Amino acid sequence: MGLPQARATVRGIPAYVAGRPAPPRPGLTAYKLSSNENPYPPLPGVLEVVAEAAQRINRYPDMGNHDLYDALAARLDVAAEQLAAGTGSVALVYQLVQAYAEPGDEVVYAWRSFEAYPIASAAAGATSVRVPVTADGRHDLPAMAAAVTDRTRLVLVCTPNNPTGPAVTHRELATLLDELPARVLVVVDEAYLEFVRADDPVDSLALLRGHPNLVVLRTFSKAYGLAGLRVGYAVAAPSVAAALRAVGLPFGVSLLAQAAAVASLDHEPALLARVDALVGERDRVVAGLAAAGWEVPDPQGNFVWFALGEQTAAFAAAAEAEGLAVRAFVGEGCRVTIGEPEANDRLIAFAGSWRLADRASGHGSGRARNQRGDPVGDDRQPSYITAGQDYERDTAYLPDRITAEPGETRDPHPSAKIQSDTRPVEPGRYRLVAARACPWANRSIIVRELLGLHDVLSMGTPAPTHDARSWSFGLDPDGVDPVLGIHRLQEAYLARDPDYDRGITVPAMVEIESGEVVTNDFPWITHDLFFEWSDFHRDDAPDLWPADVRDEMEEVMERVYTEVNNGVYRCGFAGSQASYERAYARLFTALDWLEERLATRRYLMGPSITEADIRLFTTLARFDAVYHGHFKCNRNKLTEMPALWGYARDLFQTPGFGDTIDFTQIKQHYYLVHEDINPTGVVPLGPDPGGWQTPHGRESLG
C-alpha cells in the first residue's frame, strides 16, 4: 500500500508561483520586475539596527512582538490588543481563514486577485467564491456583496488589487461594510497602501472604529523594503486580533524582522520619500505606455498590468529576451513591477516596440515577435470546423497499455482483451499529463484522486489554453514541466515518433526516463488505473467497475460517450445548420433519458459511484459554463433539469470530483482556443459557480 494521503483539499491546492529572477543576458543589465519588490536597499539606519540585532540571533525572538506592537500602536493610534503580527500580511490571510472558516464555509474574493487567496481557502477546506473583476480590473463590490450567503465567513478585498492595480474608494468600501452582516469578516488587504494616490482613498482605520467585523492587513515588504525579512500585521477588533495570535506560528516573526520593522517606522519620512519617487516613476511609465497606445488599468500599487490574453506567454518571453523578468499569468496578462529608472526606460521601449509589431502583424493570424522582431512562437489556433460536414472525432490514439502482467489484463470482461503492446506497471515510472480544462483529461484526474495513486503516479498539468503546436506547461516555473523537463507536450509525442502528425491530446501517460508518450487512449487510461494499478490503490478505494452491473454499465457508458460526451462537440463543431440540428436532437434525447434514469437512482448504476458517473460528470460540470452558450446546446441549462442538476451537485461535493474542477481554466480553454467559434476571444464572466455547493437532497436515493 502507498504512504498516508494528504487531505484531498490539500492535494488539490494550486502551487503559489513566485516571480522569477531575471536570467543574465549578454551585454544587458537584467532587471527583476516580477515580484513587486522595492528596488531601493534598506536605509543605512535600518541596516545598522538589523546588524546589531543579528548579534543576538542565538536567542528566540520576542514571541509577543511587544516593541513592534508598541511602535505600531503609537503610529496608528490603536490599542496594542488590536494588533497581530505575522510573517508578511499573506501569513495573516492564512491565519484568518484557518481561524474563522470551517470546511465547506465560503470565502468571497475578487478574481483575478492575489493568488494566495485560493490557496489559503483550500488549505482550510473552505470553498472559494470568485467574483470577476470588472473590465478595467476593479473590484465589483456590489457583485461581491451579492455573492455572500449564509455560509460566507470572510470577504477579502485586495486594494490596490494585485495584479490588476486599481484601488477601491473609501465610499465603496463603506457601502460594502454597511451592506454585509456583522457575522462576516471583511478583510482589507492593504499591502500597497503607501502607493495609493487615487481620489477618495480608503481610510480603513476610521472604518474599523465603526465596523468591528473589519480586519486591516498591512505589510513591511513593499513600501518599507523588507520583503526578505517577512513581517506584516493586522489591525482588528481585540477578539479578532486575539484569534489571529492564537493560530499564529510561535516565534514566527524573527528577531531581525521585528527590529527592522520598528526601525523602519522610526525612519518613515525617508522611506516614504522613496515611495513618492516610485510613484513618480509609475506615472512616467503609464504616460510612456499611453503614448505607445497601451491602455492599462489605473495602477495604484508599484506595478502595472498588461491584459494580454493569449499573448501573455509570448510577451513574457520577449521581455525576458530583453533582460526584463515579468510575472506572467498564463492566458490573462502580465504584471510588471515599477523598478529602477533604467529598468522602467527599457520597459517603456520594449512595450512600445511590442505594440508596433503587434499592430503590424495583426495578432491572431500570425506570429508574435519580440523587440528585435524575432519570432517568439506560433500562436495560431487549430481549426475544428469543416464547412458543410458533421463533426467526426479523431480516435486514432496511441494504443499501448500499461498492465500489471506483460500482454495480459486483470480485467476478465471480454471487452478488455489486450490488442496492443503493453508496458509494465511500475511506481514512479510514468507521469500522467492531464489539463484540468479538458473533460477527457479530467476523467483521469478524478480516477487518480479516488484511487489514491499520488505516490506512484505523478501528474503534470498543462496550462488551459494551447495553440496549433499543442498543450504547454505555462503554469510551471519557466514554462517547463518539472519532471519531464519539456515546454510542450508535443515534445513527448515526437520522442515516441519523430514523424507523429496526429492530435497532441490529453490525458497522456508519459514514460519519464524515455520522455515518450506511452498512450493517450483516454478510456483505457482510466480503465487500467483501476484494474492494472490495483496493488497500489488506497485501502478504501471505490469499486469503479462492479462486476454485477458490468454489461449494463458498458452500454450506458457507450451511449453517454456517443450522445453526450461527444454530442456536445458535434453541436459546437457542426459545419452546417442541418448538421447542428441533428446533433442537437441526439444530445437532448440522451439528456432526457439520463434525467429519467437519475430520477429514481442516486448514481447511473445504482447506489455507488462507478466509472460511468465519472465519464458523465466531466461533461455536466462544463455544460452551463461552456456548452450551453459556446456550443449552442441551449434547449435548457443543466440547472433546469432537476435530477441531472442534483446528481451533478452530489458528485461535485464528493471529494475527488469538485476539487478537480477549475471553472476559470475551463472557460479560458474553450473560449480562447476555439477561435473559429469565438473569434473575439471574449471569455464570459458567468455563470455563478456558487450553486454547485448548494444541498442536492439525493441521499434518500441510496
Side-chain angles (χ1 to χ4, degrees), residues 325-350:
V326 304
R327 175 66 172 89
F329 296 81
V330 175
E332 297 180 66
C334 285
R335 186 196 67 202
V336 185
T337 306
I338 302 300
E340 302 87 339
E342 298 81 2
N344 301 331
D345 289 340
R346 193 180 302 168
L347 171 62
I348 293 169
F350 160 73

Side-chain angles (χ1 to χ4, degrees), residues 341-394:
E342 298 81 2
N344 301 331
D345 289 340
R346 193 180 302 168
L347 171 62
I348 293 169
F350 160 73
S353 296
W354 171 277
R355 191 72 171 171
L356 288 173
D358 184 49
R359 287 169 172 169
S361 65
H363 175 67
S365 60
R367 303 186 73 178
R369 298 177 180 272
N370 67 13
Q371 186 175 345
R372 293 186 297 270
D374 304 322
V376 172
D378 185 351
D379 61 3
R380 292 169 294 182
Q381 301 294 352
S383 177
Y384 296 89
I385 298 173
T386 303
Q389 295 186 21
D390 292 349
Y391 170 69
E392 294 291 339
R393 179 171 297 278
D394 180 0

Side-chain angles (χ1 to χ4, degrees), residues 38-47 50 224-226 229 260 264 271 274:
N38 192 318
Y40 295 107
L43 289 172
V46 176
L47 284 176
V50 171
Y224 293 88
L226 301 182
L229 290 179
S264 294
L271 288 167
R274 291 179 166 185

Side-chain angles (χ1 to χ4, degrees), residues 624-643:
D624 286 5
V626 174
Y627 304 143
H628 179 270
H630 186 59
F631 277 178
K632 308 178 188 69
C633 303
N634 59 358
R635 190 194 73 179
N636 47 256
K637 299 175 183 175
L638 174 66
T639 56
E640 296 165 348
M641 304 186 78

Side-chain angles (χ1 to χ4, degrees), residues 47-353:
L47 284 176
E48 290 170 8
V49 170
V50 171
E52 190 280 329
Q55 299 178 46
R56 293 180 278 114
I57 59 173
N58 59 307
R59 302 294 186 185
Y60 285 109
D62 173 17
M63 183 172 164
N65 300 288
H66 292 96
D67 289 345
L68 178 56
Y69 287 164
D70 288 344
L72 285 170
R75 169 70 179 78
L76 304 175
D77 193 22
V78 299
E81 293 77 22
Q82 292 182 263
L83 298 166
T87 53
S89 56
V90 63
L92 293 157
V93 172
Y94 281 69
Q95 290 167 227
L96 280 164
V97 180
Q98 180 185 359
Y100 284 92
E102 301 281 358
D105 286 343
E106 294 175 347
V107 180
V108 175
Y109 51 86
W111 198 254
R112 161 77 60 179
S113 191
F114 186 30
E115 64 184 311
Y117 296 161
I119 301 173
S121 301
T127 298
S128 287
V129 178
R130 301 181 182 185
V131 178
V133 296
T134 63
D136 56 354
R138 295 176 52 81
H139 278 56
D140 188 343
L141 293 185
M144 292 175 69
V148 170
T149 70
D150 291 340
R151 298 172 61 204
T152 304
R153 296 294 174 266
L154 299 98
V155 174
L156 308 179
V157 179
C158 184
T159 180
N161 188 45
N162 175 16
T164 60
V168 304
T169 67
H170 185 88
R171 186 172 187 176
E172 289 172 335
L173 186 58
T175 300
L176 177 71
L177 286 163
D178 289 339
E179 291 179 353
L180 294 183
R183 62 173 178 78
V184 176
L185 277 184
V186 178
V187 182
V188 179
D189 187 346
E190 295 186 309
Y192 303 92
L193 166 72
E194 295 81 4
F195 299 95
V196 175
R197 298 295 185 272
D199 294 334
D200 191 25
V202 169
D203 185 348
S204 55
L205 297 181
L207 290 171
L208 174 60
R209 287 190 283 271
H211 297 276
N213 61 325
L214 177 64
V215 182
V216 179
L217 301 184
R218 295 180 179 175
T219 183
F220 286 91
S221 295
K222 308 302 181 183
Y224 293 88
L226 301 182
L229 290 179
R230 310 306 301 129
V231 55
Y233 61 95
V235 189
S239 62
V240 177
L244 280 171
R245 294 193 297 269
V247 298
L249 180 69
F251 306 107
V253 182
S254 72
L255 174 68
L256 302 186
Q258 293 183 43
V262 173
S264 294
L265 291 172
D266 291 338
H267 292 80
E268 193 172 61
L271 288 167
L272 294 182
R274 291 179 166 185
V275 171
D276 287 338
L278 285 172
V279 170
E281 281 295 292
R282 182 185 72 194
D283 293 343
R284 185 172 71 86
V285 168
V286 171
L289 295 176
W294 288 95
E295 295 181 10
V296 298
D298 180 26
Q300 292 296 318
N302 65 336
F303 54 89
V304 291
W305 172 253
F306 294 84
L308 295 155
E310 280 304 285
Q311 290 181 291
T312 296
F315 183 94
E320 183 171 299
E322 300 301 324
L324 300 174
V326 304
R327 175 66 172 89
F329 296 81
V330 175
E332 297 180 66
C334 285
R335 186 196 67 202
V336 185
T337 306
I338 302 300
E340 302 87 339
E342 298 81 2
N344 301 331
D345 289 340
R346 193 180 302 168
L347 171 62
I348 293 169
F350 160 73
S353 296

Side-chain angles (χ1 to χ4, degrees), residues 541-613:
D543 182 2
L544 299 178
W545 294 77
D548 59 333
V549 295
R550 178 63 181 276
D551 289 337
E552 182 188 5
M553 190 172 90
E554 292 282 356
E555 295 174 0
V556 169
M557 290 193 300
E558 178 65 18
R559 187 171 182 184
V560 166
Y561 168 70
T562 60
E563 306 306 296
V564 181
N565 299 147
N566 202 43
V568 294
Y569 285 88
R570 276 200 304 271
C571 290
F573 296 154
S576 69
Q577 183 67 31
S579 175
Y580 163 70
E581 291 179 6
R582 288 191 297 270
Y584 180 97
R586 288 178 61 180
L587 170 65
F588 282 99
T589 297
L591 289 175
D592 289 340
W593 161 67
L594 289 166
E595 177 75 4
E596 181 179 354
R597 183 180 182 92
L598 289 165
T600 57
R601 60 182 76 198
R602 186 166 184 180
Y603 304 112
L604 281 174
M605 304 313 301
S608 301
I609 292 172
T610 66
E611 172 84 10
D613 298 297

Side-chain angles (χ1 to χ4, degrees), residues 397-403 405-408 416-423 496 518-519 521 524 528:
Y397 301 112
L398 295 171
D400 290 5
R401 290 175 56 187
I402 298 171
T403 58
E405 301 295 335
E408 299 180 7
K417 182 179 179 181
I418 297 290
Q419 296 178 327
S420 62
D421 293 337
T422 63
R423 301 197 196 191
R496 167 72 181 262
V518 176
T519 181
D521 199 341
W524 285 116
D528 291 344

